[in-house]
Amino acid sequence: AQTVTQSQPEMSVQEAETVTLSCTYDTSESDYYLFWYKQPPSRQMILVIRQEAYKQQNATENRFSVNFQKAAKSFSLKISDSQLGDAAMYFCAYRGSGNTPLVFGKGTRLSVIA
Amino acid sequence: SQTIHQWPATLVQPVGSPLSLECTVEGTSNPNLYWYRQAAGRGLQLLFYSVGIGQISSEVPQNLSASRPQDRQFILSSKKLLLSDSGFYLCAWSSRGGNSPLHFGNGTRLTVT
């Protein structure tokens, strides 16, 4: 079974600085999809960014970008120019190529210091 | 555009009472539907998912059940709640295909007393 590991339960970053959240996963599939979700204090789950495993180019969405290392099975999230509104739980998630559910990591709680 | 509605937002129920949480999706047809539970400060645990009417897959054996009576309706139920059923319940939908992300409802905070 696929597993997703987020080794950093908590992280903090100074406002306007850059922070990287780590995620590794275990799978025997070659075709799959990876996601980062943000959960602010409201507990609404918000999609931040997604990456297709067959794409070598790292996905970017404004201040958010990923470092996807397929051989290492690593999928880290970089947040640039951190803002107070970035404070949230961040979840890494994996989905296989079939019609299967997402598998989530345990999350990283990010604090942003003014 | 697609929207997902989940209710109620908050629920306090005594031990042994029944439970019914409802989730509906608008603006799409034949979605995949999911129920997740999140314990305080923890990750998301998949409880049930459905790829079609009447088709339910259970990931974790427990005191809960799910039903999909209509294409865009997903219900989470229990006949008798336990204290351990307390948590934050999230409904979600996705299109078919691995590249489709999950879109979540606003969640239900359930407290069993």
Side-chain angles (χ1 to χ4, degrees):
Chain A
Q2 292 81 11
T3 58
V4 177
T5 301
Q6 294 180 249
S7 59
Q8 307 153 316
E10 296 184 356
M11 292 280 286
S12 63
V13 62
Q14 292 281 347
E15 197 175 5
E17 296 296 311
T18 296
V19 65
T20 298
L21 308 184
S22 300
C23 173
T24 59
Y25 56 94
D26 185 26
T27 183
S28 58
E29 297 179 303
S30 60
D31 191 19
Y32 50 87
Y33 304 86
L34 298 164
F35 306 86
W36 278 97
Y37 280 85
K38 170 185 177 181
Q39 188 182 41
S42 66
R43 304 195 79 170
Q44 175 69 43
M45 291 288 287
I46 302 166
L47 176 66
V48 175
I49 199 165
R50 77 177 96 174
Q51 174 79 43
E52 292 86 349
Y54 63 83
K55 290 187 177 179
Q56 292 186 345
Q57 186 174 5
N58 289 323
T60 62
E61 288 287 343
N62 301 314
R63 298 182 295 107
F64 298 87
S65 61
V66 299
N67 183 6
F68 173 49
Q69 301 290 328
K70 190 171 184 179
K73 296 180 182 176
S74 171
F75 182 59
S76 60
L77 175 69
K78 186 172 80 171
I79 305 174
S80 304
D81 185 25
S82 297
Q83 301 175 359
L84 294 177
D86 295 334
M89 281 286 286
Y90 286 83
F91 293 97
C92 179
Y94 168 100
R95 189 177 190 185
S97 59
N99 200 21
T100 55
L102 264 66
V103 177
F104 285 87
K106 293 186 180 300
T108 296
R109 183 175 302 280
L110 178 66
S111 301
V112 180
I113 304 167
Chain B
S1 63
Q2 302 90 359
T3 56
I4 178 169
H5 303 281
Q6 182 183 346
W7 68 92
T10 305
L11 190 60
V12 179
Q13 292 283 98
V15 169
S17 64
L19 173 74
S20 181
L21 303 182
E22 190 164 341
C23 175
T24 59
V25 180
E26 296 177 355
T28 187
S29 59
N30 203 23
N32 291 345
L33 297 172
Y34 310 85
W35 280 109
Y36 284 86
R37 178 168 61 194
Q38 185 179 27
R42 305 291 296 174
L44 278 74
Q45 178 188 36
L46 178 65
L47 300 176
F48 302 94
Y49 72 98
S50 172
V51 298
I53 296 174
Q55 300 178 60
I56 309 294
S57 296
S58 174
E59 292 295 304
V60 181
Q62 54 200 321
N63 188 41
L64 302 170
S65 62
S67 62
R68 184 171 178 173
Q70 301 181 44
D71 181 45
R72 290 169 288 174
Q73 183 184 28
F74 205 25
I75 298 171
L76 182 68
S77 304
S78 174
K79 292 182 179 179
K80 290 186 177 181
L81 283 168
L82 306 172
L83 286 174
S84 58
D85 292 323
S86 294
F88 189 64
Y89 290 81
L90 284 159
C91 181
W93 76 271
S94 75
S95 299
R96 300 185 182 280
N99 66 340
S100 174
L102 265 61
H103 306 277
F104 287 85
N106 289 332
T108 296
R109 184 183 304 275
L110 172 66
T111 303
V112 182
T113 60

